[in-house]
Amino acid sequence: MRTQIWTPTGNPLRDERDRRLPRIAGPCSLVIFGVTGDLARKKLMPAVYDLANRGLLPPAFALVGFARRDWADQDFAQIVHDSVREHARTEFREDVWNELSKGIRFVMGDFSDNEAFDTLARTVEDLDRVRGTRGNHAFYLSIPPKFFGPVVEQLERSGLSASHNDAWRRVVIEKPFGHDLESARELNDTIGKVFSSGSVFRIDHYLGKETVQNLLALRFANTMFEPIWNANYVDHVQITMAEDIGIGGRAGYYDGIGAARDVIQNHLLQLLALAAMEEPLSFDARDVRIEKEKVLTAIKLPSDLAAHTSRGQYAAGWQGGVQVDGYLQEDGISPTSQTETFAAIKLEIDTRRWAGVPFYLRTGKRLGRRVTELAVVFKRAPHLPFSETDTEELGQNAFVVRVQPDEGVTMRFGSKVPGTQMEVRDVNMDFAYGDSFTESSPEAYERLILDVLLGDPPLFPRHEEVELGWKVLDPILDFWAEQGQPDQYQSGTWGPQSAYDMIARDGRSWRRP
Amino acid sequence: MTVRLDGTTAAQVASAISEERFRQGSSAVGRVLTLVIIADEATQADAVHAAARAAREHPCRILTAIPRPGHGPAQLDAEITVGGSDGLGELAVLRLRGPLAHHVESVVLPLLVPDAPVVVWWPGTCPSTPALDPVGALAQRRITDSAENSRPLHLLQALADGYVNGDTDLAWTRITPWRALLASALDEPYDEITSVVVHAPKTNPSAVLLVSWLLGCLKVPVTIKASKGPGITGVDIHTVRGDIIVSRPDGRIAAIARPGMPDREAALPRRSIESLIAEELRRLDPDDIYGEVLERFAAGVTAAANASDPGSGKKPTSKRSGATSSSSSTPVKK
């Protein structure tokens, strides 16, 4: 007889060779603070429905909303229903919705309102009794970071943060995780007083994206990339996250934060870590984290920050056929605001693998188009047995991972132009995720919420990584704070002149993604 | 757009596909596999429809072979559709007439996507040893559907005898949601299990596979209690301190009752062919669990036959793990 391999829980019906059985979360509830926000309506609640529709939520599941509105359970259920109808990825099925809606509850209150949290505690206990959620509850703080402290204290005071026996309590927070190293530590202390580090899930939804996970598969499951993935062959790496939109209605959040804190500190440094790290011993959360922390620790800043960083603010202009305001004219923004909406920095990594290979990171709003990509640009061939005119149109080979949109991978290399002459020109070879594995790709939030409920941490950055990110960024932010107004760039372009100058100093140029 | 080629060859079909592909401006799409459907005129339309929808998840080349043996001369007629608004990859419906009907592999082989896995699906009648079928032998994965055959339990037994890695049956795929629900029921604390009863029509191939699976995992007696359906209508897990009862009388919603907990419900709809095929295409590695379940089922049937007919002279094979306990659950038609 073949040997049976049981899962650690000892469930005799689970066998790790049984790849058909999905991972279904155990009995639990998800309590969302800030249910009236955009994120909750457009992403979280639809993701919960999509999970239910895919059969990945347990029959004993409950969804609790907490907000200041004067709503009854049915009113909130209606809000969830509408957001599911509008934003869910999978088709709407009445049966699934009916089951889900039976576990929907709403608690009205303020974050300073003791009574509201006591009501919440009673609601949650009631769910244990009525729905059988067995004391397992996750608290999703979809609220501005300044409220994290008060809410977490309330959770402790009302006894919501304490679990009994095998039950768990988890807390989920969204970036930004502080605005510098010091505040990140304070935030961590505040939450750490109430929840153990294993119960805190920091969501960086980029890490839930299939392409980001695929980066590890590409690198470590194949033989053809890894041998050239080092300073011997790589000239430099460009990581770009560009948005075509402005700040929209997020003036209150964005002003004073800026592009570097909003994007570089988390998304781009995480992408850099995944692209640059050594092979982990395994894909266990711990092993991957160790490698990411090593590479983040090895990051070296340029000594001349003025020459190798750039920051900008979008000015009025035409973007994609629409006339748009500049940042300083946006509602709620002071006309003297020094917040950057574009940031570009050059980093180096002090390891043998990456010695002398610069990593250029840039992000901005109101740029040419919406795109996130990681481009590894290779060195030119050391010797070209062609005449100079033959290879005039040959650029550098490149390997580009497109994170969004059109998730996929592009390789750029030289090819002979058909004809009697020897002429070599760049061509692209493309792998589009959507072509090879369409539609099955779940939304990042589906994956992340399920992982929270399962208690599976690999895709969540740990506090140590957050701190390392701030250690990289803090000196740059301090330097920028003394430089006055950021450079203006016209909306719909690829950033200020200083960004072009900064990379041109190294004899390189930005890709037009 | 659909191209019709009558009295053609595989090479002409291949070039018609790539011409059509090129005409639409996408010469290299990520076709990840070739799906060969072997069907008759009655089953092909539904099968192609389901496959085309599943292909939205797994872009592939779908070759539908319809053998039409008869007295006429050998002839190949093809209908080719490339692209299309429903996101379909490439579809060729191939009618093989006359003596050609017995040489499906000769037409299929040149049309396989290079260096990509091949999956064969018999939506209706299937060979009892798929791996020995000339087309089945080309494939990494062979999908049968015992429920669509006239004597499903007999077929399952034959499939067990000829099982090789890569065989799979949709009767097994149909119970994935049931298995997931039962597995999640045992993720929670439970008492020692003494026996299990599966409610289903007696000859339901999915039910006997579920029994065999539970038997192998739980090592307690598992029996089928006849019900009118549709499909599996319930599973009772008896424990020393009360029962975990899952019932799905209407084929849509399962009610779950367990000691000391409130009653719960979960949507557990019967599955469409499309979702079954999509699940099958998701993993192309051998399904070891299915192989073991099928083997245990067949061993149970043999043991039961020997028990009821001791004079047959065959050696009982009841030594195999747990096989005897299922004897009451697996009726054998003689």
Side-chain angles (χ1 to χ4, degrees):
Chain A
M1 216 179 91
R2 279 165 258 195
T3 46
Q4 302 269 329
I5 307 156
W6 304 128
T7 52
T9 53
N11 182 340
L13 297 183
R14 293 209 185 273
D15 180 332
E16 68 172 22
R17 295 171 306 149
D18 195 344
R19 309 303 294 267
R20 289 176 193 264
L21 286 196
R23 302 185 308 164
I24 300 180
C28 63
S29 83
L30 179 67
V31 182
I32 302 180
F33 293 91
V35 281
T36 49
D38 256 15
L39 181 75
R41 278 191 307 109
K42 290 186 182 155
K43 297 285 184 187
L44 302 184
M45 299 188 300
V48 166
Y49 170 81
D50 287 331
L51 285 173
N53 202 4
R54 290 164 65 205
L56 301 180
L57 292 184
F61 177 79
L63 176 68
V64 184
F66 186 101
R68 217 165 1 187
R69 303 296 165 88
D70 186 8
W71 284 341
D73 290 347
Q74 307 89 285
D75 300 327
F76 177 52
Q78 187 60 42
I79 299 288
V80 181
H81 179 268
D82 294 347
S83 90
V84 166
R85 281 313 282 251
E86 195 174 343
H87 299 289
R89 182 178 65 89
T90 56
E91 64 172 327
F92 188 83
R93 301 210 319 240
E94 208 66 42
D95 286 347
V96 174
W97 169 253
N98 286 342
E99 296 317 318
L100 186 64
S101 63
K102 283 179 195 162
I104 292 184
R105 300 285 184 280
F106 184 78
V107 175
M108 176 180 84
D110 217 272
F111 299 145
S112 57
D113 183 355
N114 287 352
E115 206 177 305
F117 278 83
D118 293 339
T119 311
L120 180 63
R122 279 196 302 277
T123 307
V124 162
E125 270 169 40
D126 187 52
L127 285 171
D128 289 342
R129 207 164 42 246
V130 183
R131 294 286 291 177
T133 44
R134 290 188 179 266
N136 300 318
H137 303 284
F139 304 99
Y140 199 120
L141 310 189
S142 180
I143 49 178
K146 63 179 172 193
F147 296 119
F148 287 177
V151 170
V152 167
E153 278 157 26
Q154 283 284 10
L155 291 176
E156 188 184 26
R157 190 200 54 77
S158 55
L160 278 164
S161 60
S163 55
H164 308 285
N165 304 326
D166 293 336
W168 48 258
R169 302 289 159 111
R170 297 182 183 132
V171 66
V172 187
I173 55 175
E174 289 260 353
K175 58 129 195 165
F177 312 119
H179 53 87
D180 57 13
L181 182 58
E182 202 190 321
S183 59
R185 282 183 174 152
E186 275 170 27
L187 173 66
N188 190 53
D189 291 344
T190 311
I191 294 172
K193 262 186 257 164
V194 180
F195 291 94
S196 70
S197 67
S199 308
V200 182
F201 289 75
R202 293 173 186 79
I203 290 222
D204 183 338
H205 68 275
Y206 260 67
L207 298 185
K209 285 196 176 285
E210 288 287 340
T211 4
V212 174
Q213 296 165 49
N214 191 34
L215 183 57
L216 296 181
L218 281 171
R219 285 192 60 197
F220 300 121
N222 296 303
T223 48
M224 56 196 284
F225 305 120
E226 203 54 20
I228 52 169
W229 207 263
N230 54 51
N232 295 334
Y233 298 96
V234 175
D235 180 67
H236 69 283
V237 177
Q238 295 186 13
I239 305 177
T240 302
M241 177 176 160
E243 290 174 281
D244 51 4
I245 52 168
I247 54 162
R250 296 169 72 223
Y253 162 76
Y254 199 84
D255 200 40
I257 296 282
R261 288 188 177 95
D262 190 35
V263 175
I264 292 184
Q265 193 273 338
N266 34 66
H267 303 327
L268 296 196
L269 284 178
Q270 283 287 340
L271 274 176
L272 176 143
L274 292 172
M277 73 183 194
E278 298 297 321
E279 183 173 279
L281 285 174
S282 76
F283 281 91
D284 274 1
R286 188 172 157 275
D287 290 337
V288 174
R289 179 166 54 84
I290 288 172
E291 294 307 329
K292 284 204 292 190
E293 284 173 16
K294 267 164 64 183
V295 77
L296 288 171
T297 312
I299 290 177
K300 189 178 72 176
L301 293 179
S303 47
D304 184 356
L305 290 176
H308 297 294
T309 67
S310 157
R311 62 186 191 130
Q313 246 178 9
Y314 60 83
W318 287 82
Q319 149 115 61
V322 180
Q323 191 164 20
V324 293
D325 284 342
Y327 180 70
L328 299 177
Q329 288 93 54
E330 297 271 10
D331 283 345
I333 300 293
S334 149
T336 57
S337 170
Q338 297 186 2
T339 302
E340 82 279 0
T341 63
F342 175 96
I345 60 176
K346 171 186 174 182
L347 300 173
E348 293 199 14
I349 298 176
D350 260 352
T351 61
R352 185 175 184 129
R353 184 192 281 265
W354 295 116
V357 178
F359 284 69
Y360 298 99
L361 278 51
R362 65 172 162 168
T363 181
K365 292 192 176 289
R366 286 249 190 270
L367 297 183
R369 71 184 191 98
R370 170 175 165 262
V371 60
T372 302
E373 65 165 37
L374 174 126
V376 178
V377 182
F378 292 94
K379 292 180 173 167
R380 284 176 170 277
H383 169 71
L384 288 170
F386 307 99
S387 75
E388 208 165 285
T389 45
D390 292 348
T391 55
E392 221 166 11
E393 291 183 71
L394 176 66
Q396 285 167 286
N397 294 164
F399 180 84
V400 183
V401 177
R402 295 190 306 273
V403 178
Q404 69 173 19
D406 310 325
E407 307 190 340
V409 175
T410 299
M411 263 197 253
R412 189 177 68 173
F413 50 86
S415 171
K416 181 183 172 302
V417 178
T420 50
Q421 289 187 327
M422 174 53 80
E423 191 189 340
V424 183
R425 188 187 291 169
D426 285 334
V427 293
N428 282 326
M429 190 164 83
D430 204 64
F431 157 74
Y433 235 74
D435 278 355
S436 296
F437 313 95
T438 6
E439 287 207 44
S440 64
S441 289
E443 270 278 330
Y445 276 103
E446 279 174 67
R447 173 75 197 266
L448 294 170
I449 289 175
L450 182 62
D451 281 357
V452 168
L453 301 182
L454 287 165
D456 195 11
L459 295 178
F460 302 92
R462 297 252 310 186
H463 176 63
E464 291 79 357
E465 293 165 56
V466 174
E467 279 199 14
L468 286 168
W470 286 121
K471 278 183 187 161
V472 172
L473 210 55
D474 272 359
I476 297 173
L477 293 170
D478 291 344
F479 170 77
W480 282 348
E482 294 158 11
Q483 304 303 306
Q485 202 68 19
D487 305 323
Q488 300 288 307
Y489 61 96
Q490 208 184 332
S491 287
T493 64
W494 284 102
Q497 186 58 38
S498 57
Y500 292 94
D501 295 344
M502 115 186 198
I503 196 165
R505 274 185 200 104
D506 297 340
R508 300 189 175 93
S509 61
W510 292 109
R511 279 171 49 83
R512 184 174 45 73
Chain B
M1 206 184 108
T2 302
V3 178
R4 283 193 65 116
L5 298 170
D6 288 343
T8 185
T9 64
Q12 285 174 353
V13 173
S15 65
I17 292 177
S18 58
E19 256 173 49
E20 192 63 13
R21 176 59 72 199
F22 190 71
R23 203 179 57 77
Q24 299 192 0
S26 54
S27 53
V29 290
R31 291 153 311 182
V32 290
L33 55 92
T34 310
L35 174 62
V36 183
I37 303 173
I38 301 180
D40 54 28
E41 293 289 358
T43 52
Q44 61 98 0
D46 285 348
V48 168
H49 184 68
R53 293 181 60 117
R56 289 195 294 192
E57 198 175 309
H58 309 272
C60 56
R61 175 175 289 179
I62 302 172
L63 304 175
T64 308
I66 306 171
R68 302 195 52 171
H71 293 299
Q75 180 172 324
L76 174 64
D77 298 340
E79 281 172 41
I80 298 152
T81 313
V82 173
S85 54
D86 52 356
L88 173 68
E90 300 158 348
L91 170 66
V93 179
L94 308 161
R95 290 189 170 78
L96 300 91
R97 301 179 196 277
L100 183 58
H102 304 293
H103 301 281
V104 177
E105 74 284 0
S106 75
V107 176
V108 166
L109 186 63
L111 293 176
L112 302 177
V113 175
D115 212 12
V118 178
V119 178
V120 181
W121 173 30
W122 290 271
T125 315
C126 64
S128 55
T129 314
L132 294 183
D133 180 272
V135 182
L138 297 172
Q140 276 73 44
R141 203 156 179 101
R142 292 162 291 274
I143 306 171
T144 54
D145 192 351
S146 52
E148 292 296 323
N149 282 261
S150 52
R151 300 211 297 172
L153 300 192
H154 259 77
L155 178 63
L156 278 185
Q157 215 184 339
L159 290 173
D161 290 342
Y163 176 82
V164 295
N165 279 341
D167 285 2
T168 183
D169 193 277
L170 295 184
W172 173 243
T173 323
R174 282 190 184 92
I175 53 174
T176 302
W178 265 106
R179 296 196 304 124
L181 188 68
L182 294 172
S184 76
L186 298 196
D187 280 339
E188 296 178 46
Y190 60 94
D191 290 301
E192 190 192 329
I193 296 171
T194 53
S195 65
V196 180
V197 176
V198 173
H199 299 266
K202 278 253 176 187
T203 56
N204 182 310
S206 292
V208 302
L209 294 177
L210 184 65
V211 166
S212 174
W213 177 64
L214 289 167
L215 195 58
C217 294
L218 300 175
K219 315 251 185 305
V220 298
V222 183
T223 48
I224 292 190
K225 197 166 172 216
S227 83
K228 285 214 179 85
I232 297 167
T233 51
V235 175
D236 308 341
I237 302 175
H238 299 290
T239 79
V240 289
R241 249 171 278 165
D243 302 338
I244 302 172
I245 309 274
V246 185
S247 57
R248 185 191 67 172
D250 61 355
R252 284 170 55 220
I253 293 170
I256 304 141
R258 65 190 301 154
M261 292 307 266
D263 290 354
R264 305 161 185 168
E265 290 190 335
L268 189 65
R270 305 198 72 198
R271 305 182 74 188
S272 64
I273 289 281
E274 171 197 338
S275 80
L276 300 176
I277 292 299
E279 178 178 322
E280 283 304 326
L281 298 184
R282 214 163 285 150
R283 304 203 68 86
L284 297 174
D285 49 346
D287 187 345
D288 296 342
I289 307 283
Y290 169 68
E292 289 167 16
V293 163
L294 194 61
E295 185 191 13
R296 195 178 302 112
F297 158 75
V301 174
T302 313
N306 289 333
S308 64
D309 185 11
S312 70
K314 263 194 190 170
K315 254 195 149 177
T317 51
S318 58
K319 285 265 165 58
R320 298 212 212 184
S321 82
T324 43
S325 3
S326 73
S327 52
S328 60
S329 70
T330 46
V332 183
K333 298 216 178 77
K334 288 255 159 171

